[in-house]
Amino acid sequence: MIRFPIAVMLLALPAALIAQDKPATDGSTPLKRIRNVQIQKGEKCPPAAGDEIVVCGTLEEPYRIPKQFRESKPDAANQSWVNRAATIDEVGRVAGGLPNTCSPVGTGGQTGCVTKMLREYTAEKVEKKRLESSVP
């Protein structure tokens, strides 16, 4: 059962390779060279010479990944001691199941779930507003 699709792919492979060597249907020859050029802002892309394609990119935005995906949150080493201490305190409270922590462990852990959801919602709104303000 699995052999049939593999056999079909192997038989189609030579036809695909032959099709790549054929000239284009409009009578022109296929392009043989692609040139990648980095230009300054305001410069024009150089014209293609002969059978080449010129791909131009600016030096201000050399990456193809959009800026919002390149951002990273600061890691713990770049946080202030106040933030580190608050994080350690919160982790200890949740792990111990203390009241108002939204923890499944302990006697009063379930009492802080609404507060936790509200904190997360507020943090998401603040982050969204920050990202919207950074868009040019």
Side-chain angles (χ1 to χ4, degrees):
M1 191 87 175
I2 296 174
R3 293 180 192 167
F4 180 72
I6 294 173
V8 170
M9 287 190 293
L10 289 176
L11 289 174
L13 184 64
L17 293 176
I18 291 170
Q20 289 179 353
D21 293 335
K22 289 184 181 178
T25 57
D26 62 355
S28 63
T29 59
L31 298 171
K32 301 286 184 188
R33 181 175 173 212
I34 297 175
R35 184 170 52 147
N36 192 359
V37 180
Q38 296 294 323
I39 58 175
Q40 297 289 335
K41 186 176 182 180
E43 288 183 356
K44 288 194 172 195
C45 194
D51 62 344
E52 71 177 355
I53 296 175
V54 178
V55 178
C56 294
T58 61
L59 293 175
E60 288 82 28
E61 289 291 326
Y63 306 107
R64 291 186 179 191
I65 299 172
K67 189 173 184 177
Q68 68 264 21
F69 297 123
R70 286 186 272 147
E71 289 183 16
S72 62
K73 297 191 185 248
D75 57 347
N78 294 333
Q79 291 287 326
S80 69
W81 280 103
V82 173
N83 291 342
R84 290 185 200 183
T87 302
I88 291 170
D89 182 47
E90 184 64 26
V91 169
R93 288 177 50 82
V94 171
L98 296 176
N100 299 325
T101 58
C102 192
S103 173
V105 179
T107 57
Q110 74 281 3
T111 58
C113 292
V114 173
T115 307
K116 179 182 175 188
M117 288 189 299
L118 290 173
R119 255 189 270 128
E120 289 173 357
Y121 175 73
T122 305
E124 287 174 8
K125 283 180 61 176
V126 168
E127 182 67 16
K128 184 178 178 183
K129 188 173 182 180
R130 184 190 68 83
L131 289 174
E132 287 174 353
S133 68
S134 67
V135 174

